[in-house]
Amino acid sequence: MHLLVVDAHHGAHPWPAHSEKAVLRLAEQIGKDGALTKTGADSLVKAASDAMTAAARLVTDDLLAFATSAVRDATNSAAVLSRVRAETGVRLQVLSGADEARMTFLAVRRWFGWSAGRLLVLDIGGGSLELAAGIDEDPGLAMSLPLGAGRLTRDRLNVDGDTAAPPPNHRVEELREYVEDMLDPAVEKLSEYGWERPVATSKTFRSLARLAGAAPSAAGLWAPRRLHRDGLRQVLGFIRHIPPSELSGLEGVSARRAHQLLAGAIVAEATMRRLDIDALDICPWALREGVILRRLDQLEPA
């Protein structure tokens, strides 16, 4: 759960004024029956309550609350959303996978501008992989695949942050084959659509780019960052042999998502290779900024 408070108005750059996060890992809190576990639902309710309290303390004018794939795909999502609303007053809107891809695409378009030409945007989240392409602010093609780093770590690699040994080779290879099969329809559609500038967003891509030699966060928001496929292949080659419990020791890798890095790298490498992408530009704006920008577009000018 990420509460991002921005200072902005219609037509303005949304400047971050406050940010706070709670680690929920909802994509890993889905039971065998497909439902979000009670532990997961409890953590979501608490995080929503804390975010509402912080928003009130900071005197925000508007509160946009949305959930993505982990809640969207849970078989008990309606009951969980009702509970959140009843206990916290937060009305969580569930974005479809295509809408998630569209909002992220809008953020990337605004960041790079019209000079970027026809864009391809990739975003690896906890539960899904979003892909979008187009030349306008609204993409002509937007898709979502169940290839999120958290989901695959839970379902396919069967590891967590405390696992003291790398996943066995057969699991890694089975995951590779699964990702390849799931990418087939997206690759076919996107290859026919075309693009001029491929871009990636999300913490997973940023971490992989840092490990492959991109500028650190200390270089600032405006520093250009790229992820090259050759560099990604080298990163994948060594992280697959590192225990999940030790991945957080790598520079640019957050402790709460370190164990998901291998699954994310496999998805990133397969997607770049299948789409014949040599390098991706890394965009610091993603879904949250896209939602904010769309809301600002709906406001009347001052």
Side-chain angles (χ1 to χ4, degrees), residues 122-246:
L122 310 178
D123 186 337
I124 300 174
S128 58
L129 162 69
E130 273 66 52
L131 309 98
I135 196 165
D136 299 319
E137 290 200 331
D138 192 42
L141 186 64
M143 294 177 289
S144 180
L145 301 176
L147 294 177
R151 181 197 297 267
L152 298 179
T153 299
R154 177 199 71 210
D155 294 347
R156 301 284 167 171
L157 294 180
N158 194 27
V159 299
D160 59 32
D162 297 322
T163 303
N169 286 335
H170 75 271
R171 279 199 189 140
V172 174
E173 293 309 313
E174 287 170 0
L175 175 56
R176 283 181 185 272
E177 293 177 7
Y178 175 77
V179 171
E180 294 279 353
D181 290 342
M182 294 298 293
L183 282 172
D184 282 343
V187 169
E188 183 177 352
K189 290 181 180 178
L190 285 167
S191 296
E192 294 174 356
Y193 202 81
W195 58 85
E196 293 160 332
R197 186 167 191 169
V199 177
T201 73
S202 77
K203 180 64 175 178
T204 295
F205 273 116
R206 289 197 300 272
S207 295
L208 292 171
R210 179 69 192 106
L211 290 174
S217 57
L221 191 66
W222 310 106
R225 296 173 174 87
R226 304 194 89 196
L227 174 60
H228 294 268
R229 195 164 85 204
D230 288 344
L232 173 59
R233 196 178 300 122
Q234 293 175 10
V235 169
L236 181 54
F238 75 79
I239 65 172
R240 67 176 294 175
H241 300 296
I242 299 176
S245 59
E246 298 178 15

Side-chain angles (χ1 to χ4, degrees), residues 69-89:
S69 61
V71 175
R72 178 174 67 236
D73 297 339
T75 56
N76 60 338
S77 61
V80 171
L81 293 170
S82 295
R83 182 185 165 196
V84 170
R85 183 180 177 188
E87 296 186 27
T88 70

